[in-house]
Amino acid sequence: MKDGKLWICTSHGIYIADTETLGIEKLTVHSRWTWDVAEWRDGSLLSANAGGGFYYENPKTNQAIRYVHDPKNPKSIGPKYFSWRILVDKSDRVWLGTTGGLELVTLQDSSFTHVVPNLIVRDLLLESDGKILIGSGTGLFEFEPTTGSIDTIATGVFVNKVS
């Protein structure tokens, strides 16, 4: 976080830890297993959740929006919605790594674009040139957001953490 505090993702939502006072308080309305969290430009939180899809939450107002798959809406989050990672890039685009692939989230109209389908995305890392490294259950890939191209870095290896 920008103010030196820490987010803690737990099986009961997101908590915030103050490193100066050593205090811990619950930050989110939901109580879902949370794998990753990112802060949006307005101070709200975006979270990737096990079996719970994707959350947009405003801690100041205690309001939360949960996004889950809607088979009648092709712009909803993918059907394999176990979410692992969230990445907000330098252009304020929100990328969500799921068990069904990489999704581009458009918060303004609550839509999801299935950018790289059929890939278990375990981790995301933004490179200095704007490309995104994708760690998956089958290897390491590099995604170019402006062109939509994806290059294979390594296959046949399980990449759980990219750093």
Side-chain angles (χ1 to χ4, degrees):
M1 292 184 69
K2 296 173 187 161
D3 60 3
K5 296 180 181 176
L6 300 172
W7 288 315
I8 302 171
C9 297
T10 75
S11 59
H12 298 288
I14 303 168
Y15 290 75
I16 188 168
D18 187 321
T19 56
E20 290 183 20
T21 66
L22 302 180
I24 296 176
E25 65 180 274
K26 186 162 186 174
L27 190 59
T28 55
V29 176
H30 73 81
S31 292
R32 298 234 176 231
W33 191 296
T34 304
W35 290 108
D36 199 12
V37 63
E39 187 173 9
W40 184 239
R41 63 180 170 221
D42 66 1
S44 58
L45 298 179
L46 311 171
S47 62
N49 306 95
F54 171 79
Y55 273 91
Y56 170 91
E57 291 190 62
N58 187 332
K60 296 172 189 156
T61 63
N62 262 354
Q63 293 179 321
I65 300 170
R66 181 180 175 207
Y67 299 91
V68 294
H69 178 65
D70 177 357
K72 297 175 187 170
N73 180 0
K75 291 279 190 175
S76 74
I77 191 171
K80 297 178 181 179
Y81 63 94
F82 189 103
S83 303
W84 286 101
R85 293 289 177 248
I86 292 181
L87 175 76
V88 179
D89 69 15
K90 295 175 185 175
S91 299
D92 277 338
R93 292 175 294 202
V94 177
W95 302 94
L96 182 64
T98 74
T99 53
L102 179 65
E103 305 212 14
L104 176 60
V105 182
T106 306
L107 293 172
Q108 293 79 355
D109 67 359
S110 302
S111 67
F112 294 76
T113 304
H114 316 302
V115 180
V116 180
N118 304 317
L119 180 69
I120 297 172
V121 178
R122 302 288 239 156
D123 207 0
L124 299 170
L125 179 69
L126 184 64
E127 296 183 285
S128 60
D129 61 1
K131 294 178 183 176
I132 299 172
L133 283 179
I134 300 172
S136 83
T138 57
L140 181 63
F141 304 90
E142 185 177 59
F143 176 70
E144 170 54 67
T146 57
T147 65
S149 66
I150 187 164
D151 292 321
T152 302
I153 306 296
T155 59
V157 294
F158 181 83
V159 180
N160 193 42
K161 181 90 175 125
V162 179
S163 52

